[in-house]
């Protein structure tokens, strides 16, 4: 009851005639969205009507805050937003702004960030709008890369590009790939995206590489058919970026390696030597951030799943931090594939886990509801050690 009253009063203030009241109310609502999450779902129609009406009232500064509120709403409610009536309310004003801004307008930054969240939330609901958004994002990347080449060739005559345009375009394409999944295949097939992405992953700016590796991982999941021909080019660059001095870059590169491993299967074998040593160094590094440790452990497990004989050899050098890194994460598909991989490695090299077997048991006990065949793998591994003892 109180929540509904709060929303009603807040929306009155969002549409207030005073710009400062609009700004404060819209910012407050964005904060509320982050906390309320799916509790907002029953009010989505009312929320969208209010935010869409605000487009006609807000001017430049407050429009940027409005984009953030819409993007946060999409992040908070996810695919609950994917209803035709909601899509029909939300997309026209966003696309109107999208078409009104030039490729050099910095107001594109918050709008692209907003669209990335919306595309991820709408999933297939974004498909009717995907083509023009995809093509413009690719064009922004291509334009930025061209400007960078021109600046390098003639720095006095040509200004350096603003790489934030490329970063937000890469992030929007990641949102499209995550939301559309396999439906993005046709768009990728008709573009030069993979060739452009190969240039992006080599950029000197860490933020560009961070977004590039995220997109590479998302494309690997969504349309590996188009990524696979370029794997031999991408893998050495991924290996070079398994460097925890650049946490966010390293995190995304690590995740992308794991996604590629799942898709490539046994063909990953030739790339194992280049990536396993830096991954072992990362997982044993003191004070490594929790998210990077978890991603590293998942990727090592996935490498072990597809190439157990190769990855199992140094098992004793990473099994303890591997187990402690994954014991507290929730059950999901990534955790599932990682644990299948570590079980396969233990079968190949049981001696590698002997000294730290209790840590493996503790990690297994962290599962709430493993799939039946994974549960059977746990039983075989643990009972095998009991028989040996």
């Amino acid at each position: 009851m109180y929540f509904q009253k709060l929303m009603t009063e807040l929306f009155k203030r969002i549409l207030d005639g005073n710009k400062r009241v609009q700004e404060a109310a819209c910012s407050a609502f964005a904060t509320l969205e982050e906390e309320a999450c799916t509790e907002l779902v029953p009010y989505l129609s009312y929320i969208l009507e209010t935010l869409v009406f605000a487009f006609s009232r807000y001017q430049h500064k407050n429009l940027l805050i409005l984009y953030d509120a819409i993007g946060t709403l999409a992040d908070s409610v996810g695919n609950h937003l994917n209803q035709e009536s909601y899509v029909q309310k939300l997309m026209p004003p966003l696309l109107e702004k999208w078409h009104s801004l030039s490729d050099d307008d910095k107001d594109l930054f918050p709008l692209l960030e907003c669209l990335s969240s919306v595309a991820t939330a709408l999933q297939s609901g974004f498909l009717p709008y995907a083509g023009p958004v995809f093509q413009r994002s690719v064009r922004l990347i291509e334009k930025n890369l061209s400007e960078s080449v021109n600046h390098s060739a003639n720095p006095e005559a040509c200004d350096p590009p603003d790489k934030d345009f490329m970063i937000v375009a890469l992030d929007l394409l990641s949102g499209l790939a995550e939301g559309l999944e396999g439906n993005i295949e046709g768009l990728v097939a008709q573009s030069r995206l993979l060739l452009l992405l190969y240039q992006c992953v080599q950029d000197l700016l860490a933020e560009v590489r961070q977004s590039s590796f995220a997109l590479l991982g998302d494309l690997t999941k969504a349309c590996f058919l188009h990524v696979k021909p370029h794997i031999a080019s991408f893998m050495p660059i991924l290996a070079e970026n398994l460097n925890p001095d650049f946490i966010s870059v390293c995190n995304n590169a690590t995740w992308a390696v794991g996604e590629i491993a799942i898709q490539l299967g046994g063909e990953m074998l030739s790339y194992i030597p280049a990536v396993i040593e830096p991954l072992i160094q990362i997982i044993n590094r003191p004070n490594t951030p929790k998210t990077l440790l978890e991603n590293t452990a998942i990727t090592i497990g996935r490498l072990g799943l597809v190439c157990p004989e190769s990855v199992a050899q140094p098992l004793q050098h990473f099994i303890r931090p591997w187990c402690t890194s994954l014991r507290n994460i929730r059950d999901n598909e990534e955790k599932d594939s990682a644990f299948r991989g570590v079980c396969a490695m233990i079968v190949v090299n049981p001696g590698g886990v002997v000294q730290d077997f209790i840590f493996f048991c503790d990690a297994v006990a962290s599962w709430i509801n493993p799939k039946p065949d994974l549960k059977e793998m746990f039983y075989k591994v643990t009972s095998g050690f009991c028989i040996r003892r």
Side-chain angles (χ1 to χ4, degrees):
M1 181 176 68
Y2 295 110
F3 185 63
Q4 188 170 356
K5 286 183 178 179
L6 171 64
M7 298 266 286
T8 301
E9 292 304 315
L10 193 54
F11 287 156
K12 289 179 183 177
R13 302 289 80 81
I14 286 175
L15 299 178
D16 196 275
N18 185 290
K19 293 179 185 177
R20 295 184 65 183
V21 174
Q22 293 172 0
E23 177 184 356
C26 205
S27 297
F29 181 61
T31 303
L32 177 65
E33 289 173 318
E34 293 176 349
E35 298 298 325
C37 295
T38 53
E39 289 183 41
L40 297 170
V41 171
Y43 310 99
L44 271 176
S45 183
Y46 183 32
I47 292 170
L48 290 172
E49 286 175 6
T50 303
L51 296 181
V52 167
F53 188 69
F55 271 103
S56 63
R57 288 200 166 196
Y58 282 21
Q59 296 181 9
H60 179 260
K61 181 182 177 182
N62 287 353
L63 269 176
L64 308 185
I65 300 170
L66 182 59
Y67 294 149
D68 179 62
I70 293 172
T72 305
L73 176 68
D75 292 336
S76 299
V77 303
N79 63 4
H80 292 285
L81 201 58
N82 187 16
Q83 291 189 26
E84 188 174 354
S85 60
Y86 298 159
V87 176
Q88 293 300 324
K89 286 178 183 177
L90 180 59
M91 290 307 300
L94 286 175
L95 290 177
E96 183 182 346
K97 296 297 180 184
W98 166 265
H99 290 303
S100 70
L101 297 174
S102 71
D103 288 351
D104 297 315
D105 194 326
K106 291 189 176 183
D107 285 354
L108 270 178
F109 296 164
L111 179 55
L112 286 170
E113 290 171 355
C114 172
L115 281 171
S116 177
S117 296
V118 170
T120 302
L122 293 186
Q123 300 176 345
S124 60
F126 197 83
L127 196 56
Y129 315 98
V133 173
F134 179 93
Q135 290 154 13
R136 188 175 188 183
S137 298
V138 172
R139 187 172 74 240
L140 285 169
I141 295 169
E142 193 162 20
K143 179 174 180 286
N144 206 274
L145 289 171
S146 177
E147 289 173 350
S148 186
V149 170
N150 292 338
H151 172 70
S152 297
N154 194 351
E156 294 184 0
C158 302
D159 293 331
D162 185 342
K163 293 190 177 180
D164 283 342
F165 283 101
M166 183 156 60
I167 292 167
V168 293
L170 289 164
D171 291 343
L172 177 49
L173 289 171
S174 282
L176 284 175
E178 186 178 349
L180 297 179
E181 298 179 328
N183 289 317
I184 201 172
E185 188 272 336
L187 296 171
V188 175
Q190 296 170 23
S191 74
R192 298 179 63 246
L193 178 57
L194 270 301
L195 296 174
L196 298 173
L197 187 57
Y198 177 66
Q199 297 178 61
C200 294
V201 296
Q202 300 175 77
D203 199 276
L204 296 178
L205 190 65
E207 289 81 1
V208 173
R209 300 199 307 278
Q210 174 187 340
S211 294
S212 300
F213 290 132
L215 177 56
L216 178 60
D218 284 320
L219 291 175
T220 296
K221 293 178 69 175
C223 55
F224 188 63
L225 173 69
H226 299 296
V227 177
K228 188 174 181 179
H230 304 273
I231 288 297
S233 299
F234 280 118
M235 284 307 302
I237 300 169
L238 283 164
E240 289 173 9
N241 281 273
L242 299 177
N243 177 4
D245 290 336
F246 299 92
I247 296 295
S248 296
V249 177
C250 183
N251 197 42
N252 287 356
T254 299
W255 174 73
V257 169
E259 292 296 337
I260 289 169
I262 289 294
Q263 297 292 336
L264 207 55
E267 294 178 57
M268 190 73 186
L269 183 62
S270 61
Y271 304 113
I272 295 294
V275 298
I276 193 60
E277 185 175 342
L279 290 172
I280 292 173
Q281 291 175 359
I282 293 167
I283 205 167
N284 283 289
R285 192 174 189 252
N287 303 316
T288 300
K290 179 173 175 284
T291 302
L292 179 55
L293 281 176
E294 291 172 356
N295 270 335
T296 302
I298 287 169
T299 293
I300 290 174
R302 289 177 154 190
L303 293 171
L305 178 64
V306 297
C307 301
E309 291 81 6
S310 179
V311 185
Q313 294 176 22
L315 183 60
Q316 67 273 19
H317 297 302
F318 63 78
I319 187 63
R320 182 184 291 195
W322 189 96
C323 292
T324 56
S325 297
L326 293 187
R327 68 177 303 276
N328 292 319
I329 71 169
R330 69 182 188 278
D331 296 4
N332 58 31
E333 289 300 320
E334 290 185 341
K335 183 177 179 180
D336 179 279
S337 59
F339 270 81
R340 291 176 190 274
V342 85
C343 287
M345 288 186 278
I346 291 172
V347 170
V348 172
N349 180 16
V353 76
V354 168
Q355 296 300 318
D356 298 303
F357 186 64
I358 187 65
F359 291 93
F360 173 72
C361 293
D362 180 61
V364 168
S366 74
W367 276 88
I368 296 173
N369 189 28
K371 293 178 181 177
D373 60 329
L374 179 59
K375 191 173 183 179
E376 180 66 17
M377 292 175 75
F378 290 156
Y379 174 77
K380 287 181 178 178
V381 169
T382 53
S383 63
F385 273 86
C386 291
I387 292 170
R388 289 187 184 92
R389 295 172 73 89

